[in-house]
Amino acid sequence: MSRPSMPAPRDFVRTVGRSADGGHRPHRVRRGAGLTLLFVAVLTAGAVTESWVSVTESDAAPVSPRPSRVQEGRPAAQGGQHGEDGHDAEELVSRSGDRWAAAYSADEYAGLRRSLDGEYVGVGVSVRRIAAGRIRIDRVRPGGPADRAGVRAGDRLVAVDGTEVGGLPVTEVVTLLRGGLPGEEPPPGSRIRLGLERDGRGWQEELERAELDIETVTVSTVGPKVTRIRIDSFTKGSGAQVRRTAGRLPPDEGVLLDLRGNSGGLVAEAAEAASAFLDGGLVATYGEDGTEHALHAESGGNTGSPLVVLVDGGTMSAAELLAGALQDRGRAVVVGTRTFGKGTVQVPREQPDGSVAEVTVGHYTTPGGRTVGEEGLVPDLEVAPGQNPLAEARTVLSGLEPRS
């Protein structure tokens, strides 16, 4: 593999997630939103049943390794054997033997970068599939187009631009709401017509899509002196949000860091999230074209609050990196089921025709020297089938004392 013209800044090295069908991603040429999903926290967790899954429009954004931002966010130029001979990204990926590699057109990659910067174009709703295949509005983003039009959580979504959505998978409904695939999606201001129903009364709302921020971190109170911080994926700014939240908590406030279904994202954001609960020190190491890099936590994190990390089979990539760091450093008790097992990092290589090939450059290692590999991380307390993971985590948390 030839070396990029400039080293990829560690802030924009990414880890890729799992395939949309929930399995390991096979090696083949992939393009655009036909690829795996980055924001699939609810999708991967819902592989068994869709009945409870709530999916927002931003969940249709594709995943692949995070671009190395060199010169205004563009990927590093690719030279040498895969660049100067004029091969495009699809050809490079098809003969690379890299099972995690992906190929994008320039437009598709621009849409991907925007998604990882925490932005998407939509109307600001999350949808859920309920009984008899019906689709319900589960959440409405405050201040978004749907909210301003009076759409409420609990309304039934009947149709999108004349297409009836009853019986469709939530992923297809989200694609209809977005109006296209990343790199092809309609711009802000494009119109969409929703068929809705409330209390037996049907009506239509015509909305204008707007550029919205992706909400990947949610904070809630789940018991006396217990705060739950859920991270759905690691996009730009998510680590800082976790750090701000943890910094405001009193030392006796227990924390449930919920990484279930977190499909990964930006490695640097995961390292910053680790900084929220550590006072400096090693978070992980990873290789890039034969050179080892170390990720360190910043000093001054919340080291007093009792901490439990929740994981499952949908916890992968950068989320596994974070869970492994907190586990190895003795900062948290990890509860749940074995994680997915994806410990490689990728960076992009721009081709002469403007397409982008994202390729694996190395593997990350936890502070204790573990590599995730195919086997994933084993929690300190494994939750048996039929048990409530959140309840088990709260039980463990109740037995932990604040640190001095």
Side-chain angles (χ1 to χ4, degrees):
M1 181 183 301
S2 56
R3 186 178 298 275
S5 58
M6 296 179 63
R10 283 175 291 171
D11 286 356
F12 294 96
V13 173
R14 291 195 297 167
T15 54
V16 68
R18 82 195 293 177
S19 59
D21 61 4
H24 286 277
R25 174 179 173 179
H27 166 60
R28 63 180 181 270
V29 177
R30 306 279 192 111
R31 292 186 67 87
L35 308 180
T36 55
L37 304 178
L38 171 61
F39 306 109
V40 291
V42 289
L43 301 186
T44 53
V48 177
T49 173
E50 270 187 336
S51 60
W52 61 273
V53 174
S54 175
V55 186
T56 189
E57 297 159 292
S58 61
D59 291 326
V63 68
S64 193
R66 174 64 186 180
S68 55
R69 180 162 291 181
V70 180
Q71 298 181 349
E72 298 297 319
R74 296 190 62 81
Q78 173 74 22
Q81 68 182 61
H82 296 310
E84 295 172 353
D85 56 7
H87 291 152
D88 65 10
E90 285 195 5
E91 184 172 352
L92 191 158
V93 168
S94 68
R95 55 193 178 87
S96 68
D98 183 350
R99 64 177 302 203
W100 299 104
Y104 299 90
S105 70
D107 286 343
E108 288 167 347
Y109 200 76
L112 174 62
R113 287 206 313 266
R114 184 173 65 188
S115 297
L116 287 168
D117 281 341
E119 300 171 350
Y120 74 102
V121 175
V123 296
V125 295
S126 299
V127 294
R128 180 190 299 260
R129 185 176 178 181
I130 56 175
R134 293 178 297 174
I135 301 296
R136 187 181 73 190
I137 303 293
D138 191 54
R139 288 180 293 169
V140 179
R141 182 185 178 89
D147 180 48
R148 294 195 299 270
V151 179
R152 302 176 190 169
D155 290 344
R156 180 184 170 195
L157 180 63
V158 179
V160 177
D161 284 335
T163 299
E164 294 187 3
V165 298
L168 294 181
V170 287
T171 49
E172 291 188 24
V173 177
V174 166
T175 299
L176 290 172
L177 288 169
R178 288 178 63 92
L181 304 177
E184 304 169 358
E185 62 190 15
S190 60
R191 304 191 72 83
I192 180 174
R193 189 175 72 257
L194 303 184
L196 298 159
E197 185 179 288
R198 181 190 303 161
D199 298 328
R201 179 181 67 87
W203 82 102
Q204 292 192 352
E205 289 286 352
E206 189 167 344
L207 309 175
E208 287 189 0
R209 295 183 179 91
E211 191 167 279
L212 303 171
D213 293 332
I214 297 170
E215 297 176 316
T216 60
V217 179
T218 54
V219 181
S220 58
T221 300
V222 293
K225 294 187 176 182
V226 179
T227 293
R228 177 189 179 196
I229 303 174
R230 180 178 178 88
I231 312 175
D232 289 335
S233 60
F234 293 99
T235 58
K236 187 176 180 180
S238 57
Q241 187 175 347
V242 174
R243 189 172 170 85
R244 287 193 300 269
T245 300
R248 292 194 294 262
L249 299 177
D252 61 344
E253 180 85 359
V255 178
L256 293 178
L257 183 62
D258 195 344
L259 301 180
R260 291 176 296 172
N262 185 314
S263 53
L266 309 187
V267 171
E269 295 295 335
E272 186 162 3
S275 299
F277 303 103
L278 298 171
D279 188 17
L282 184 65
V283 173
T285 58
Y286 69 92
E288 181 183 345
D289 294 337
T291 301
E292 286 296 315
H293 300 277
L295 295 167
H296 291 90
E298 298 177 22
S299 60
N302 178 345
T303 59
S305 293
L307 178 62
V308 168
V309 178
L310 266 167
V311 299
D312 66 5
T315 304
M316 63 185 72
S317 302
E320 291 174 290
L321 181 152
L322 172 58
L326 295 174
Q327 187 180 45
D328 281 6
R329 295 283 302 274
R331 178 63 183 91
V333 177
V334 178
V335 175
T337 57
R338 186 186 295 266
T339 63
F340 179 77
K342 194 278 171 185
T344 58
V345 294
Q346 289 78 27
V347 295
R349 301 288 191 259
E350 185 176 9
Q351 304 305 301
D353 65 354
S355 61
V356 176
E358 291 191 318
V359 295
T360 300
V361 295
H363 297 74
Y364 68 78
T365 304
T366 68
R370 293 182 294 166
T371 55
V372 175
E374 299 286 339
E375 67 276 5
L377 296 174
V378 178
D380 298 302
L381 174 65
E382 292 199 61
V383 177
Q387 290 183 307
N388 185 324
L390 188 59
E392 294 296 315
R394 288 182 57 183
T395 299
V396 172
L397 190 63
S398 67
L400 301 179
E401 296 291 332
R403 299 185 172 201
S404 57

